[in-house]
Amino acid sequence: MNHPDLYHKAHDAQRHDSEEFFLEYFPKMQWRFDGNDTLIDIGSGCGNVLIDIVYPRMPKNIQRFVASDINPKMISYAQHCYGHLPKVEFKVLDIASKKLPRELKHKFDHVTSFYTLMWVNQRQAVKNIYNLLRPEGGDCLLVFLSSHPMYEVYKLMSDRDKWSQYMYDKERFISPLQNVKEPDQKFATFMREAGFSQFEVKLLHKHFVYESFEVFRTDMKAVNPFLDRVPVALHEEFMDDIMLEIIKQVGLTAHQVDLKAQFTVPYANKIFVTPSICLSSRLLRKITLTRVNRLF
């Protein structure tokens, strides 16, 4: 995932779901009456999903809009593409760090994150998301995978002598909720521990239909975390092996796959956290909620 130009062009499923969920829940987020909202996005990548989908729907007088990512290459690329937009900031941020940057702590009305939290220490990340929100209240909208056939492929590939030297830390790139019996309840525990007082965690079983198998391969190449370690001369062989394994994971054989035909991949589980309230007094401005005290 060190090639923002490739990821910018090849992330069909992520973009589709991010837009679907944001448009559904945008009206339910707790927007300020004065429109002086502040928002930070976690794991913005190359920035196009955030800028194309979220930014145009912000209040006209929004005070602060921050795109963040752990990868400096992604942030640099996003700033190059979108740095001209008013009130948009770009910051390198590790949301799972044990030390949240002081200048970001308790500064935001809203936190969003699309397709990022499956890559991190989730308990620590949720604590940090809570602490990004203002003391008087705020909300977050989080979408991420709990499991996916590709994670099983990473496990299988890492056991092969041919590829094991490049995939020695595979666990870093497999969702911590993969194969967890009740992943939604596990994540809900993290939310409660962090201090969120009103929230809903939904576990959805979905699939995505790619335009073709070739498109799917390109998208998987764009997010593959191991490819840069593999010698360039072996890139295609590496991707071929991955594709053969993913075909098996979805119950097909190579002979049954038409490279030009649509290709359907199930998202074994997708976790979706609805606009989650971290305290409220200010939140009473739009709807009636039970007042709670912030837990520090």
Side-chain angles (χ1 to χ4, degrees), residues 62-114:
I62 189 171
Q63 292 299 297
R64 194 177 186 191
F65 188 84
V66 180
S68 73
D69 200 276
I70 193 173
N71 191 330
K73 288 184 179 181
M74 287 290 188
I75 287 298
S76 178
Y77 184 91
Q79 188 160 24
H80 173 75
C81 293
Y82 307 110
H84 62 284
L85 296 174
K87 297 183 180 178
V88 178
E89 303 172 36
F90 301 88
K91 291 189 176 294
V92 175
L93 174 65
D94 177 3
I95 194 57
S97 171
K98 291 187 177 180
K99 189 173 182 180
L100 195 65
R102 189 180 220 172
E103 68 273 15
L104 299 179
K105 199 170 184 180
H106 305 321
K107 300 296 185 183
F108 298 93
D109 299 292
H110 316 284
V111 179
T112 59
S113 183
F114 305 102

Side-chain angles (χ1 to χ4, degrees), residues 59-286:
K60 291 183 179 178
N61 54 331
I62 189 171
Q63 292 299 297
R64 194 177 186 191
F65 188 84
V66 180
S68 73
D69 200 276
I70 193 173
N71 191 330
K73 288 184 179 181
M74 287 290 188
I75 287 298
S76 178
Y77 184 91
Q79 188 160 24
H80 173 75
C81 293
Y82 307 110
H84 62 284
L85 296 174
K87 297 183 180 178
V88 178
E89 303 172 36
F90 301 88
K91 291 189 176 294
V92 175
L93 174 65
D94 177 3
I95 194 57
S97 171
K98 291 187 177 180
K99 189 173 182 180
L100 195 65
R102 189 180 220 172
E103 68 273 15
L104 299 179
K105 199 170 184 180
H106 305 321
K107 300 296 185 183
F108 298 93
D109 299 292
H110 316 284
V111 179
T112 59
S113 183
F114 305 102
Y115 276 81
T116 294
L117 297 184
M118 61 275 202
W119 304 114
V120 302
N121 179 317
Q122 293 176 344
R123 177 179 272 112
Q124 185 62 49
V126 171
K127 287 179 183 177
N128 287 339
I129 288 171
Y130 182 84
N131 286 318
L132 286 169
L133 293 165
R134 294 187 187 279
E136 64 268 28
D139 59 30
C140 65
L141 181 61
L142 316 172
V143 180
F144 62 96
L145 294 174
S146 65
S147 62
H148 191 281
M150 186 58 74
Y151 298 144
E152 294 303 318
V153 171
Y154 288 166
K155 291 179 182 179
L156 291 168
M157 293 278 289
S158 67
D159 289 335
R160 297 182 183 179
D161 292 341
K162 182 167 52 174
W163 306 121
S164 60
Q165 62 182 308
Y166 310 115
M167 305 177 74
Y168 51 85
D169 55 351
K170 64 181 182 299
E171 296 301 332
R172 284 182 54 207
F173 306 103
I174 295 174
S175 169
L177 298 178
Q178 179 84 351
N179 298 325
V180 170
K181 187 175 181 181
E182 296 182 322
D184 51 339
Q185 296 307 310
K186 180 79 169 180
F187 195 79
T189 298
F190 298 156
M191 297 286 287
R192 285 190 289 270
E193 289 176 352
F196 283 96
S197 58
Q198 299 180 42
F199 62 89
E200 183 179 9
V201 179
K202 292 184 178 180
L203 180 63
L204 306 179
H205 298 267
K206 298 192 69 175
H207 65 272
F208 186 78
V209 181
Y210 288 87
E211 182 181 335
S212 70
F213 185 78
E214 290 179 337
V215 169
F216 171 68
R217 179 189 173 109
T218 300
D219 281 19
M220 292 302 99
K221 186 176 182 179
V223 298
N224 190 288
F226 310 106
L227 195 61
D228 281 351
R229 302 172 182 176
V230 177
V232 174
L234 296 177
H235 276 195
E236 294 309 308
E237 183 179 352
F238 181 63
M239 289 305 302
D240 285 345
D241 282 2
I242 286 178
M243 290 300 102
L244 286 172
E245 286 299 334
I246 199 73
I247 288 169
K248 294 177 186 176
Q249 288 293 316
V250 300
L252 299 174
T253 66
H255 295 296
Q256 293 174 300
V257 175
D258 182 342
L259 299 182
K260 303 295 183 181
Q262 291 183 336
F263 186 72
T264 301
V265 177
Y267 297 174
N269 291 310
K270 183 188 297 297
I271 284 193
F272 173 55
V273 183
T274 66
S276 307
I277 311 303
C278 111
L279 334 153
S280 14
S281 56
R282 177 170 68 74
L283 295 179
L284 292 171
R285 64 183 180 269
K286 277 199 170 183

